[in-house]
Amino acid sequence: MTKTGIDRRALMQLTGMGLAALTTVSMAPGRAAAQTDAAWDKTFQQSENIDHEKVTFTNRYGITLSGDLYLPRDRSGPLPALAIAGPFGAVKEQSAGLYAQTMAERGYATIAFDPSFVGESGGMPRQVASPDINTEDFSAAVDYLGLRAEVDRERIGIIGICGFAGMALNAVAVDKRVKAVATTSMYDMTRVMARGYDDAMTPEQRSLALTDMSRQRWTDAETGIPTLAGGLPETLDGVDDPVIRMYFDYYKTPRGFHERSVNSTTGWTVTNPLSFMNMPILTYIDQISPRPMLLIAGENAHSLYFSEDAFAAAAEPKELMVIPGADHVDLYDQTDIIPFDRLAEFFASHLA
């Protein structure tokens, strides 16, 4: 498979790979007890400079979401806050949690959350995503942050990573409470599912993919169990595609594997792309203005064009920061590459 010669099944696997839990997670609304060191279940080490708490909150559709709240241990007064999610198919214990903990060390109240239908968040069926509901999840996180005594609700921003970067921009376009937004390694999931990488999907390929998924609905309705598309391979034997190898290196190795991660395990449903294929989420990106936007992408990322095109479509104030030598996944967890200093400066300036 190449980026310009997209196989339809490979596209569904690569843009929607992974697992959500096969059963509903039962959680009571409200705040949970603080998590102890012994229960630390993240792919990154716990900082001694933050307080961590497992929390839950409910979105506008009544789905209970699970989050990790991070607060600077040495804090005073209401804090600026950040809601963080992504990548697409990841869970809060991976990249989003690393970003949240790091920004909490820099003085922010942060929440990394599992989107609806995945990880420890609720929603049925499992292994499915929604451009609408997952956009709403960001605003629900803003709801939650704004009710915390530690947070100044007039100083809330958002960070979106990979596929949830596009959803973050979509959320900020309509949620005027958010004062600033930053993204890293952005994907527009509606665009890539509708058109393929580099917009290379032909009308005939799109029609055939939609025909297959439409007919798949009968199979799923008959069995009552949505069929999975499958995710990343279990080994790289015979796999030459550099993008798949890059994702494998994060999700399928000790570097980033997590048992609840969609991309670390079995995969989304076959019909998952349907709602993404006719709902372009960045239609109103220019309406984020006059609130500032920072788009961060790797120079060598296969996804760089998403950030470049979003930057071109957005109104001022905006900034595109391209990290020399970095690929897409480097910005998930490589703390010597992720520009946390710039993120801190950006939000300090605009959440003042």
Side-chain angles (χ1 to χ4, degrees):
M1 182 189 74
T2 65
K3 288 203 297 176
T4 55
I6 290 292
D7 172 83
R8 289 178 295 106
R9 177 173 171 78
L11 173 69
M12 287 189 287
Q13 290 175 335
L14 191 56
T15 60
M17 55 192 174
L19 167 78
L22 296 177
T23 57
T24 305
V25 178
S26 176
M27 294 176 291
R31 234 190 292 174
Q35 190 178 55
T36 64
D37 289 352
W40 189 255
D41 59 352
K42 321 304 180 195
T43 61
F44 51 92
Q45 292 188 345
Q46 186 173 22
S47 169
E48 297 179 352
N49 300 316
I50 60 97
D51 292 324
H52 167 258
E53 185 180 345
K54 298 278 285 187
V55 301
T56 60
F57 54 98
T58 303
N59 71 13
R60 191 165 53 89
Y61 295 103
I63 299 171
T64 299
L65 304 180
S66 176
D68 285 314
L69 182 72
Y70 297 88
L71 297 169
R73 186 155 292 171
D74 183 14
R75 61 184 183 270
S76 62
L79 302 171
L82 299 169
I84 305 172
F88 190 78
V91 287
K92 64 188 180 301
E93 291 78 14
Q94 295 172 307
S95 182
L98 172 64
Y99 274 68
Q101 177 174 262
T102 305
M103 295 304 289
E105 289 179 311
R106 293 166 181 265
Y108 296 85
T110 63
I111 188 167
F113 63 90
D114 286 333
S116 296
F117 312 111
V118 303
E120 294 182 310
S121 286
M124 289 292 288
R126 309 303 292 173
Q127 299 115 310
V128 72
S130 162
D132 178 23
I133 296 174
N134 294 149
T135 292
E136 155 62 21
D137 291 341
F138 274 105
S139 287
V142 173
D143 294 344
Y144 177 81
L145 287 170
L147 298 179
R148 293 285 307 207
E150 303 92 338
V151 170
D152 180 349
R153 66 166 57 178
E154 299 305 322
R155 294 191 291 161
I156 297 178
I158 281 177
I159 297 176
I161 307 164
C162 183
F164 274 86
M167 253 85 84
L169 295 175
N170 194 33
V172 178
V174 295
D175 194 334
K176 302 299 186 180
R177 299 173 300 175
V178 181
K179 299 301 190 292
V181 58
T183 68
T184 57
S185 293
M186 191 196 81
Y187 260 65
D188 176 348
M189 297 307 301
T190 54
R191 178 178 176 182
V192 74
M193 290 194 191
R195 305 181 193 174
Y197 282 113
D198 298 320
D199 302 332
M201 181 185 289
T202 67
E204 293 75 20
Q205 288 172 322
R206 174 184 167 88
S207 179
L208 186 55
L210 288 170
T211 297
D212 288 348
M213 285 185 284
S214 296
R215 300 190 70 84
Q216 180 67 44
R217 293 181 62 116
W218 272 324
T219 300
D220 292 350
E222 184 176 20
T223 64
I225 302 173
T227 303
L228 298 178
L232 286 165
E234 291 304 312
T235 75
L236 289 177
D237 293 345
V239 177
D240 297 323
D241 188 281
V243 176
I244 294 178
R245 296 182 71 90
M246 176 196 67
Y247 282 127
F248 183 98
D249 186 57
Y250 180 76
Y251 287 109
K252 303 295 281 189
T253 71
R255 171 185 171 189
F257 177 87
H258 197 281
E259 62 185 4
R260 289 192 294 272
S261 168
V262 175
N263 295 348
S264 288
T265 47
T266 65
W268 299 99
T269 64
V270 169
T271 58
N272 189 54
L274 282 171
S275 60
F276 286 85
M277 290 182 72
N278 66 345
M279 188 181 291
I281 57 175
L282 297 187
T283 299
Y284 297 104
I285 189 173
D286 62 317
Q287 294 187 11
I288 293 174
S289 176
R291 294 162 297 159
M293 174 193 312
L294 171 62
L295 307 173
I296 302 169
E299 176 188 25
N300 298 330
H302 68 286
S303 56
L304 174 59
Y305 71 98
F306 289 119
S307 293
E308 292 174 331
D309 289 355
F311 178 78
E316 296 286 354
K318 58 184 179 179
E319 177 185 348
L320 174 61
M321 183 178 188
V322 179
I323 308 301
D327 68 20
H328 180 88
V329 172
D330 284 337
L331 296 178
Y332 286 8
D333 68 334
Q334 300 301 293
T335 55
D336 58 334
I337 294 176
I338 299 168
F340 282 118
D341 287 345
R342 179 66 193 114
L343 283 167
E345 292 167 359
F346 172 76
F347 284 113
S349 174
H350 299 295
L351 300 183

